[in-house]
Amino acid sequence: MRMRRKKNLDTRLEKCAAFSVAEPSLNKGKWREAFGRETGELHLEIGCGKGDFVVQMAKRSPDVMFVAVEKYQNVLLLALEKVMAEGLSNVLFIDADANTLADVFDKDEVDRIYLNFSDPWPPKKRHKRRLTHENYLSVYDRFLKDGGEIHQKTDNTGLFEFSLCSYSQFGYTLYDVTFDLHSTDFDNVMTEYERNFTEQGMKIYRCVARKGKK
Ligand SMILES: C[S@@+](CC[C@H](N)C(=O)[O-])C[C@H]1O[C@@H](n2cnc3c(N)ncnc32)[C@H](O)[C@@H]1O
């Protein structure tokens, strides 16, 4: 999700600085301290876009600490401004690429990862860029605790099938696989992309991949 550079980007980012972690690797192994908490689950959203999902989730689950990652500052800014407007104390943002996250989180530090409408990268030669490619799963595996979960939603059949195979080959167990999320009774929080695709009449796919023994 690239966007034209926002007006006054730097000034606006500065105003939201309390919600953005400038040097996230300094928090490695200390994320709960960064939230001023001793215990509680830590959930990570990778590719949070404009932040609708993480804001709603953080309001619903005040006991959970959320870290949201987005690689484009122009997009991240909109998410930061939403969290600041809501005054949420359980969300922090990182301006980073997913492939750097093993430098940011320690072994077993993360309880859950959300991958919502990740870029599908359709040509086969680009599959390595998919956030569910084994190269990325190897990165997440370094900080996802045993029994931790990856929750994925997408509208893209190719990406979904690829991801199901990728999780299985990686040794993760699949749960709650659906090819039509909105026809289930799952208590869903919609993302920006999900709202758009749903308005276009597209079906939403979802699965949970769990690390460790069944
Ligand atoms: C298609 S958008 C979906 C946004 C949002 N999750 C939603 O469902 O509305 C994918 C987002 O992931 C971000 N993204 C893609 N690859 C990434 C990566 N390797 N690291 C961090 N963010 C990434 C993009 O910049 C974009 O904002």
Side-chain angles (χ1 to χ4, degrees):
M1 191 194 286
R2 280 173 210 259
M3 294 171 112
R4 231 186 307 146
R5 189 181 160 84
K6 292 264 176 272
K7 237 178 155 186
N8 306 321
L9 177 68
D10 293 337
T11 319
R12 287 168 68 185
L13 284 171
E14 188 69 28
K15 280 190 186 152
C16 306
F19 298 92
S20 173
V21 181
E23 289 192 67
S25 59
L26 297 181
N27 283 353
K28 186 170 178 172
K30 295 183 249 177
W31 278 96
R32 284 168 180 81
E33 279 176 45
F35 284 95
R37 300 184 187 187
E38 284 174 15
T39 55
E41 291 209 358
L42 187 72
H43 294 186
L44 173 66
E45 187 188 8
I46 304 177
C48 68
K50 298 178 194 167
D52 279 12
F53 178 81
V54 76
V55 167
Q56 292 310 317
M57 293 297 285
K59 284 164 82 172
R60 268 188 184 202
S61 305
D63 294 340
V64 175
M65 291 156 275
F66 291 88
V67 179
V69 181
E70 171 53 53
K71 68 176 178 177
Y72 291 120
Q73 278 194 330
N74 275 309
V75 184
L76 183 64
L77 172 67
L78 301 176
L80 279 163
E81 289 182 336
K82 276 178 200 156
V83 166
M84 192 166 73
E86 297 281 352
L88 294 169
S89 61
N90 59 333
V91 189
L92 288 171
F93 289 92
I94 305 177
D95 162 20
D97 192 291
N99 63 16
T100 65
L101 293 177
D103 296 330
V104 169
F105 297 101
D106 215 349
K107 188 173 182 307
D108 297 334
E109 195 164 21
V110 172
D111 295 277
R112 184 179 295 179
I113 296 170
Y114 289 103
L115 297 175
N116 290 321
F117 299 85
S118 307
D119 298 322
W121 294 111
K124 195 157 196 270
K125 63 179 182 198
R126 300 253 191 271
H127 284 185
K128 279 194 171 168
R129 298 187 189 189
R130 289 177 162 174
L131 292 184
T132 53
H133 186 276
E134 61 170 323
N135 292 352
Y136 279 103
L137 297 186
S138 307
V139 171
Y140 313 151
D141 197 62
R142 289 168 65 185
F143 53 76
L144 186 64
K145 72 169 196 188
D146 206 32
E149 296 176 338
I150 301 176
H151 290 213
Q152 184 181 11
K153 293 195 283 186
T154 181
D155 63 302
N156 188 282
T157 313
L159 174 64
F160 195 55
E161 289 172 350
F162 173 94
S163 303
L164 295 176
C165 292
S166 192
Y167 296 131
S168 297
Q169 282 165 6
F170 202 74
Y172 282 26
T173 310
L174 290 165
Y175 295 89
D176 297 341
V177 177
T178 175
F179 282 75
D180 187 4
L181 174 62
H182 295 172
S183 73
T184 70
D185 58 7
F186 179 68
D187 188 13
N188 187 38
V189 169
M190 293 252 240
T191 79
E192 296 97 5
Y193 271 66
E194 184 170 1
R195 211 168 293 117
N196 290 341
F197 290 132
T198 304
E199 279 166 17
Q200 292 168 36
M202 296 171 76
K203 296 260 190 287
I204 304 302
Y205 311 143
R206 177 177 182 271
C207 69
V208 174
R210 190 173 300 156
K211 174 176 177 175
K213 295 196 181 76
K214 287 182 196 181

